[in-house]
Amino acid sequence: MTEYTCDDFESSLLSFEKLDRASPDLWPEQLPGVAEFAASCKNPITNSPPKWMAELESEDIEMLKELGSLTTANLMEKVKGLQNLAYQLGLEESREMTRGKFLNILERPKK
């Protein structure tokens, strides 16, 4: 039985194979857009806000802060409320469209 020293054992585990990580076929991007996001994060920090924040008003920023401070359960409750509101608006729009159809409001003028 041969005896291995710790150094012999560790050196036997080394691999000298060179992998070409530049190939997109060998190393595809697992999450699309992550590379661009990571590159944008490497830019030095500036005092100017990001492009997407430039068009936000103070009310929008306050809403983002409010939503960001919610717990998961509260956020889910907020989402459910928005879904219910969207459903109610859809029903109301359907009623108004039906009403407009019966009143002939939506007909095109005859030439």
Side-chain angles (χ1 to χ4, degrees), residues 96-107:
E96 292 299 321
M97 292 298 287
T98 303
R99 183 174 172 222
K101 182 179 175 183
F102 287 137
L103 294 174
N104 294 324
I105 294 174
L106 303 175
E107 280 188 11

Side-chain angles (χ1 to χ4, degrees), residues 37-45:
F37 177 76
S40 70
C41 290
K42 289 181 182 178
N43 294 338
I45 298 174

Side-chain angles (χ1 to χ4, degrees), residues 4 9 13 19 22 25 27 36 40-41 52 56 59 63 68 72-73 83 92 107 109:
Y4 284 106
F9 181 69
L13 295 176
L19 299 176
D25 295 331
W27 307 99
E36 290 84 13
S40 70
C41 290
W52 62 269
L56 294 180
E59 292 176 4
M63 178 65 77
T72 304
Q83 288 175 332
E92 185 178 335
E107 280 188 11

Side-chain angles (χ1 to χ4, degrees), residues 6-16:
C6 186
D7 291 334
D8 292 337
F9 181 69
E10 287 180 9
S11 64
S12 70
L13 295 176
L14 290 178
S15 172
F16 298 104

